């Protein structure tokens, strides 16, 4: 009798945990594919990624030896495979930009979190890397820590 109850209990626990395990495995597989996309793009252009970060809505990689930053934004298009390569030797500084507004009851709401890479030449386009967009994600998932980390990494490389 106790064996039957133990088996039924174990099956119940396994059924409750199965969705979480499957979701975790799918996310790891997606992260691996995203990392492969950036890595392959860098390799095709003669670069080697020395540091990666993959998040659900974006991915970054950097070749510190050649001062190249690779960015993949999947905020608006989950199937996008357009990697943006930024030559950091053409960048003067990086700045964190937080776009926000206030609600009618004076509550601050963050709309976007961007990392702007200010070029050395004023005529060049300023690359903006989107880390968070409230129209796509409704809550933060480590974006503030991530943007600070990449701001510091890029700033250290520029100095």
């Amino acid at each position: 009798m106790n064996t039957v109850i133990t088996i039924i209990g174990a099956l119940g626990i396994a059924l409750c945990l199965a969705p979480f395990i499957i979701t975790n495995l799918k996310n790891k597989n997606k992260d691996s594919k995203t990392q492969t996309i950036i890595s392959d793009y860098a390799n095709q252009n003669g670069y080697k990624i020395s540091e990666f970060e993959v998040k659900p809505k974006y991915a970054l990689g950097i070749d510190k030896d050649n001062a190249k930053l690779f960015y993949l934004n999947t905020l608006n298009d989950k199937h996008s495979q357009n990697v943006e390569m930024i030559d950091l030797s053409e960048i003067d500084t990086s700045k964190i930009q937080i776009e926000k507004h206030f609600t009618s009851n004076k509550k601050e709401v963050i709309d976007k979190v961007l990392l702007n890479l200010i070029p050395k030449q004023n005529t060049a386009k300023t690359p903006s890397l989107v880390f968070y967009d409230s129209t796509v994600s409704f809550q933060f998932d480590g974006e503030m820590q991530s943007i600070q980390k990449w701001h510091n990494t890029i700033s250290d490389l520029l100095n």
Side-chain angles (χ1 to χ4, degrees), residues 35-53:
Q35 187 170 339
T36 301
I37 291 169
I38 291 181
S39 185
D40 287 350
Y41 182 84
N43 290 338
Q44 289 169 1
N45 288 285
Y47 302 106
K48 184 172 172 60
I49 303 292
S50 54
E51 188 175 341
F52 273 107
E53 182 170 17

Side-chain angles (χ1 to χ4, degrees), residues 46-48 63-69 86-89 157:
Y47 302 106
K48 184 172 172 60
D63 179 341
K64 290 183 178 180
D65 295 332
N66 295 298
K68 301 290 184 198
L69 181 69
I86 301 163
D87 186 355
L88 294 176
S89 67
L157 199 60

